[in-house]
Amino acid sequence: MLRPIRTIATAAAALLLATACNSASTSDSPSGKGSSARGVTDDAIKVGGIVSMTTASGYSKKDTDLGARARYLRANDEGGVNGRKIDYVGTEDDGQDPGKNLAAARELVQRKKVFAVSPMSSVTFSGADFLQEQQVPTFGWGTVPQFCGPTYIYGFGGCMVPMPGGTITQSWPEGLADVLGGAQGRSVAILANDNDAGTFAIRTYKQGFAAAGFKVAYAKAAVPATSLPSDWTAYTKEILRSDGGKAPDVVVSVMQTPYNIGLFTAVKRAGFKGVITDPTDYDPALLAKDATKKALDGVHVLLSFEPFESDSERMKQFKADIRKAAGKNVPLNMHMMLCVIV
């Protein structure tokens, strides 16, 4: 059973988009008729997204696009932004490739002439400097440092991997401390991919777990990001001997689902009886498959949004929005949440 550590209510990118439009005060602002801003007419605001629809590991964030469509559809049904409808041109697939990410940003701005990029959901964000230079409001998961600081780039959940000296969210470490009855005397092992997102995640969470009182016995961005390991033995041996020759109390993964399934299966087979946690695998569809259900059994998943099980009016609205945009009932997942809840 998936057991969320903590639920954090969040605002949607669409709401931020409206705020960004309303707060602009220059002659290029879309807040009034006759705007000369790129992608803005008297009747519409053009928006597009950048999402990792395909990846080398098979992991996909494609449903981020459905979430965006659902939220923009509702916004338009409610009258749009400042009387303008949102003209959503869809998402560009960056394949988690830095070159494609920059190319996607250029495609949206230079050819499709969008006013804003929303959503932007990828572990690579090489297009950030270009979007900042072009003054393109951009919204997405704040899991890479490009979301920390630029004036036109806004992170869902804030700046989640700040540069040294920045503020770190303690929701995950503190949530785990609650699960364990305290952090004192408890050790953690943190594993991530060997890409920029993984490197920054290790730095951030190593600091965060230590600040919460945990002993960080292991923290490496070591797993190849472009090829899913067929054998996890080398990683599990290191992890399960990391706390002075014995296993840590907690195994923390900052990786995507295919990697988590492999790692969690391997550490369980090796006899690990401690807590396993990640921020990625809140996806009911994963429990419909025997292999993934077994791997995720008992795993604590950090949530940055209201759980699907909630019966609140906002969650009912989310489900209705997705159903309307999809034209049918579809399995829910966390990727849809980026643009939907308000």
Side-chain angles (χ1 to χ4, degrees):
M1 179 177 67
L2 292 178
R3 295 174 290 180
I5 294 170
R6 180 172 295 177
T7 301
I8 305 170
T10 54
L15 180 60
L16 291 173
L17 174 60
T19 301
C21 292
N22 288 332
S23 64
S25 60
T26 67
S27 60
D28 286 339
S29 167
S31 59
K33 296 296 183 180
S35 172
S36 61
R38 177 192 55 250
V40 179
T41 68
D42 286 348
D43 303 312
I45 302 174
K46 187 177 291 188
V47 178
I50 302 173
V51 174
S52 296
M53 311 279 275
T54 58
T55 68
S57 69
Y59 183 71
S60 174
K61 299 184 177 185
K62 64 181 178 62
D63 285 330
T64 307
D65 177 70
L66 176 59
R69 292 181 187 280
R71 183 59 186 94
Y72 295 146
L73 178 61
R74 174 151 64 93
N76 287 339
D77 287 345
E78 294 171 348
V81 178
N82 290 326
R84 294 179 172 90
K85 296 297 181 74
I86 299 173
D87 176 12
Y88 181 55
V89 300
T91 60
E92 299 290 320
D93 179 11
D94 76 352
Q96 287 189 172
D97 178 274
K100 290 181 180 179
N101 186 274
L102 176 57
R106 292 185 179 278
E107 171 74 6
L108 289 173
V109 175
Q110 295 176 337
R111 195 179 77 80
K112 295 187 177 179
K113 307 294 185 183
V114 300
F115 168 73
V117 172
S118 177
M120 204 311 287
S121 186
S122 178
V123 298
T124 184
F125 195 9
S126 57
D129 288 345
F130 171 77
L131 294 171
Q132 174 68 16
E133 290 167 1
Q134 297 297 312
Q135 301 182 1
V136 181
T138 302
F139 308 91
W141 290 110
T143 55
V144 287
Q146 288 91 338
F147 283 97
C148 305
T151 52
Y152 287 87
I153 298 175
Y154 307 87
F156 172 82
C159 170
M160 300 171 68
V161 286
M163 299 301 288
T167 301
I168 301 173
T169 175
Q170 289 296 90
S171 299
W172 201 2
E174 290 176 2
L176 277 174
D178 288 343
V179 168
L180 294 165
Q184 191 65 33
R186 305 286 190 173
S187 59
V188 300
I190 311 171
L191 186 63
N193 291 116
D194 65 348
N195 54 15
D196 287 346
T199 299
F200 286 109
I202 288 294
R203 187 195 66 202
T204 298
Y205 292 116
K206 181 178 180 180
Q207 183 178 347
F209 278 99
F214 287 95
K215 172 186 175 183
V216 180
Y218 178 97
K220 292 185 179 181
V223 182
T226 56
S227 60
L228 189 66
S230 58
D231 185 354
W232 288 88
T233 304
Y235 304 104
T236 56
K237 282 184 176 179
E238 275 199 320
I239 289 171
L240 299 183
R241 297 173 183 172
S242 61
D243 189 8
K246 62 184 180 66
D249 295 292
V250 184
V251 171
V252 177
S253 175
V254 197
M255 298 186 290
Q256 296 173 339
T257 298
Y259 294 90
N260 292 340
I261 298 303
L263 174 64
F264 298 165
T265 299
V267 296
K268 287 181 177 182
R269 285 176 177 170
F272 181 69
K273 301 299 183 183
V275 171
I276 301 173
T277 182
D278 75 77
T280 306
D281 295 317
Y282 183 67
D283 184 346
L286 293 172
L287 303 183
K289 303 175 183 178
D290 289 340
T292 51
K293 181 178 180 179
K294 186 175 182 179
L296 294 173
D297 182 44
V299 172
H300 289 69
V301 181
L302 175 71
L303 296 186
S304 56
F305 50 81
E306 191 171 356
F308 300 141
E309 293 84 355
S310 170
D311 61 358
S312 72
E313 291 304 312
R314 294 195 309 172
M315 184 52 63
K316 291 176 183 177
Q317 180 70 70
F318 160 69
K319 293 175 180 178
D321 290 344
I322 292 295
R323 185 167 54 251
K324 182 175 181 179
K328 59 182 179 180
N329 287 319
V330 295
L332 305 176
N333 61 58
M334 63 184 293
H335 303 303
M336 300 173 182
M337 300 293 289
L338 181 56
C339 287
V340 177
I341 291 284
V342 293

